[in-house]
Amino acid sequence: MAVLGIVPDASDSFARMCAESETPMLQRVDPYGSLVLTAQQMEQFVQEVGLLRGRTASMPNISQLEQIKILAERCMGDSSLELHLEGD
């Protein structure tokens, strides 16, 4: 398995935003476990990340969400790719 990109979440800001979101897919993110999303799930994931970005004022968080969105869009365009969200 090749890794195409990593977006670190050292301060757990993405995990916190997901836990506080009211979106079904992002609420599935486990800050202590793993969640693997397929290309078929990326459209919804990208939409939900976009909603988070619209509610976020912090530049570091916006940058992080943009990086996650770029990886998700890459996965959306290639059915052989998966997006892995790894908790602590």
Side-chain angles (χ1 to χ4, degrees):
M1 170 175 62
V3 176
L4 302 177
I6 296 174
V7 180
D9 190 24
S11 64
D12 293 330
S13 58
F14 180 67
R16 225 177 359 270
M17 286 186 284
C18 289
E20 295 169 359
S21 78
E22 297 177 5
T23 56
M25 186 167 290
L26 292 180
Q27 285 191 332
R28 290 179 42 208
V29 173
D30 180 355
Y32 303 105
S34 299
L35 177 63
V36 178
L37 301 173
T38 64
Q40 293 76 24
Q41 296 168 302
M42 285 301 107
E43 184 175 350
Q44 180 179 349
F45 181 79
V46 167
Q47 288 175 351
E48 292 183 17
V49 168
L51 290 172
L52 277 184
R53 193 205 176 289
R55 297 182 207 154
T56 303
S58 165
M59 281 309 293
N61 290 352
I62 290 172
S63 175
Q64 181 185 46
L65 291 171
E66 285 298 317
Q67 292 174 49
I68 292 168
K69 184 178 173 193
I70 288 168
L71 287 176
E73 288 172 339
R74 188 166 179 190
C75 289
M76 188 173 11
D78 184 341
S79 63
S80 70
L81 298 177
E82 298 174 332
L83 183 69
H84 291 237
L85 302 171
E86 301 293 336
D88 292 339

